[in-house]
Amino acid sequence: MKKTLLSLFVLASGILLSFTLPHKGYHVGDTATDFSLKNIDGKMLSMADYKDANGFIVVFTCNSCPWAVMYEDRLIDLHNTYAPQGYPVIAINPNNPEIKPDDSFEGMQMRAKEKGFPFAYVFDEKQTVFPEYGATKTPHVYLLDKDRVVQYIGAIDDSPKDASAVESAYVANAIEALKVGKRPDPKSTKAIGCSIKA
Amino acid sequence: MVKALKSILFLFIVASSTNAQDWNLKDVDVINSFDALEQRFVLKDGGIHVINFWATWCKPCVAELPYFEEALLATEKDKIKFTYVSLDLEKHLDSKVIPFLNESNIQAEVILLTDGKYNSWIDRVDPSWSGAIPITLITQGTKKVFFEGSVHSAQEIIDLIKKVNI
């Protein structure tokens, strides 16, 4: 009897595992867990530190990917527009600097200074946060609401190569939807990016 | 006399085959709509088509291309077509893509895809594609194999080809 129970248990946990293992990060509707990551000012930063936030523009980005670099100015604009409305940008560098030396913590500090990033730029040094989110590339945005529920996943807009040719500003539109209590549409998009270097 | 002709012919073949890898702007097809690219995925003669999406700025892409070249040579008798679809910026075709193709002695066909409306076509390559490169797509008729990530040997590519060819 014991044996049967045990094998049932093994079977059950096997089934459970097979369902939980392919956790490929967050989907729209999931609640994101907070993190504590080192910001370029040397201090640890969490979403909980933002007392008046209505949400967060969490973006996995880096210094070394040309497609991430093409979006730097647009991230600055997004932050300058939406941080005062309670939606700050938090940029997270997920790359392993041993593979991409430009993405070292010092490299992040340097790039932030050069560009005058007005937003937090934190380092996922242990590479634990990006798999939790399911980020696969840079840049890769997760828009969270006040309760840290993921409301939008994907690209910043529909024209990475040319900011003047943007037809759909996905992230800005998604925030505008949240502001009036609507669900973003589209709730997810795709774009080309650099694979995250683990 | 025949011998001399033969050796001249031989020299000519050697010379032309080494010259064949000189890449110029006109050797890379610039395609500005995914629709046009998609029409080339499935070969009309029913052959196998190995399509790799890459860019010169993508380190793992550049690192794996030699394995594709190796696989291309290893499968030469099977008449498998290899195409590398570059997602580089068009302004870098002359300054980065062409020099890379020459340095790496690339033999496959190379296309530059400039269609910037990524969200409209990434799912059409494969719904599971996140948008990160490299990826490899292998088609034969209605059969298709999609692989996201890097390969680390020519054998891995040959194994992928076998999957479509079952």
Side-chain angles (χ1 to χ4, degrees):
Chain A
M1 181 58 189
K2 246 185 189 171
K3 219 171 180 179
T4 330
L5 269 180
L6 187 71
S7 51
L8 263 177
F9 175 74
V10 171
L11 189 74
S13 49
I15 291 169
L16 208 65
L17 265 179
S18 67
F19 281 112
T20 49
L21 267 183
H23 165 78
K24 279 203 160 174
Y26 296 141
H27 296 100
V28 169
D30 291 344
T31 303
T33 45
D34 203 352
F35 43 74
S36 177
L37 297 172
K38 191 159 75 167
N39 194 9
I40 37 172
D41 62 7
K43 294 179 189 146
M44 301 306 283
L45 184 108
S46 299
M47 286 190 270
D49 298 334
Y50 295 78
K51 299 297 175 212
D52 301 319
N54 293 319
F56 298 93
I57 306 166
V58 176
V59 56
F60 293 87
T61 187
C62 67
N63 305 326
S64 65
C65 173
W67 294 64
V69 171
M70 286 192 281
Y71 270 114
E72 285 174 337
D73 290 339
R74 280 175 269 183
L75 280 180
I76 292 170
D77 288 346
L78 269 178
H79 182 83
N80 288 341
T81 304
Y82 287 108
Q85 302 178 35
Y87 297 89
V89 167
I90 300 179
I92 303 177
N93 167 21
N95 280 347
N96 178 356
E98 282 175 25
I99 301 172
K100 280 278 178 185
D102 288 349
D103 291 328
S104 67
F105 186 67
E106 293 70 29
M108 291 168 60
Q109 288 176 315
M110 226 151 69
R111 190 64 189 159
K113 204 175 165 189
E114 276 167 18
K115 293 295 296 182
F117 285 169
F119 46 78
Y121 189 19
V122 300
F123 189 24
D124 186 10
E125 195 169 3
K126 292 183 182 145
Q127 298 197 303
T128 52
V129 174
F130 86 78
E132 172 94 27
Y133 275 71
T136 54
K137 60 187 183 292
T138 55
H140 201 157
V141 172
Y142 292 76
L143 177 67
L144 315 183
D145 67 13
K146 207 181 180 72
D147 303 316
R148 294 204 297 269
V149 174
V150 180
Q151 295 289 355
Y152 168 82
I153 300 174
I156 294 158
D157 58 44
D158 67 350
S159 181
K161 292 189 282 195
D162 184 1
S164 67
V166 171
E167 285 170 13
S168 296
Y170 300 132
V171 170
N173 293 348
I175 296 172
E176 292 301 335
L178 292 186
K179 277 165 57 185
V180 294
K182 285 188 183 161
R183 299 257 173 249
D185 179 28
K187 59 180 184 176
S188 67
T189 59
K190 285 181 178 179
I192 298 296
C194 304
S195 57
I196 290 173
K197 311 295 185 288
Chain B
M1 180 60 189
V2 176
K3 217 174 183 180
L5 265 180
K6 260 188 185 166
S7 47
I8 288 169
L9 191 68
F10 176 75
L11 277 174
F12 177 74
I13 289 167
V14 169
S16 57
S17 65
T18 44
N19 279 340
Q21 290 111 42
D22 274 349
W23 286 87
N24 291 302
L25 276 178
K26 61 172 173 34
D27 299 323
V28 176
D29 255 347
V30 179
I31 295 185
N32 57 25
S33 86
F34 179 78
D35 292 347
L37 178 75
E38 194 178 35
Q39 287 172 12
R40 300 198 187 189
F41 282 173
V42 177
L43 300 179
K44 291 189 175 67
D45 64 2
I48 295 173
H49 195 187
V50 177
I51 307 147
N52 179 269
F53 282 67
W54 68 291
T56 56
W57 48 259
C58 163
K59 208 173 157 184
C61 303
V62 169
E64 71 169 6
L65 279 183
Y67 301 123
F68 281 82
E69 289 289 293
E70 208 182 312
L72 183 158
L73 285 176
T75 58
E76 215 161 23
K77 61 172 181 359
D78 305 316
K79 300 219 185 308
I80 295 172
K81 184 178 167 69
F82 282 70
T83 302
Y84 308 152
V85 179
S86 163
L87 298 172
D88 281 273
L89 298 180
E90 196 169 1
K91 65 176 181 192
H92 291 154
L93 179 57
D94 202 12
S95 59
K96 292 184 177 164
V97 179
I98 300 286
F100 170 81
L101 298 175
N102 278 321
E103 277 161 34
S104 311
N105 206 8
I106 296 296
Q107 312 274 333
E109 182 173 334
V110 177
I111 290 171
L112 183 81
L113 178 66
T114 59
D115 189 336
K117 296 293 179 195
Y118 302 103
N119 189 53
S120 71
W121 58 260
I122 285 177
D123 277 346
R124 286 163 65 192
V125 175
D126 196 89
S128 73
W129 183 14
S130 74
I133 50 174
I135 57 150
T136 301
L137 179 71
I138 305 177
T139 67
Q140 184 181 31
T142 54
K143 291 179 290 181
K144 177 179 130 178
V145 168
F146 174 80
F147 174 72
E148 177 167 349
S150 306
V151 299
H152 303 92
S153 69
Q155 190 56 46
E156 272 182 64
I157 300 159
I158 292 165
D159 290 344
L160 283 173
I161 292 170
K162 280 181 190 151
K163 273 194 196 169
V164 79
N165 200 17
I166 285 170

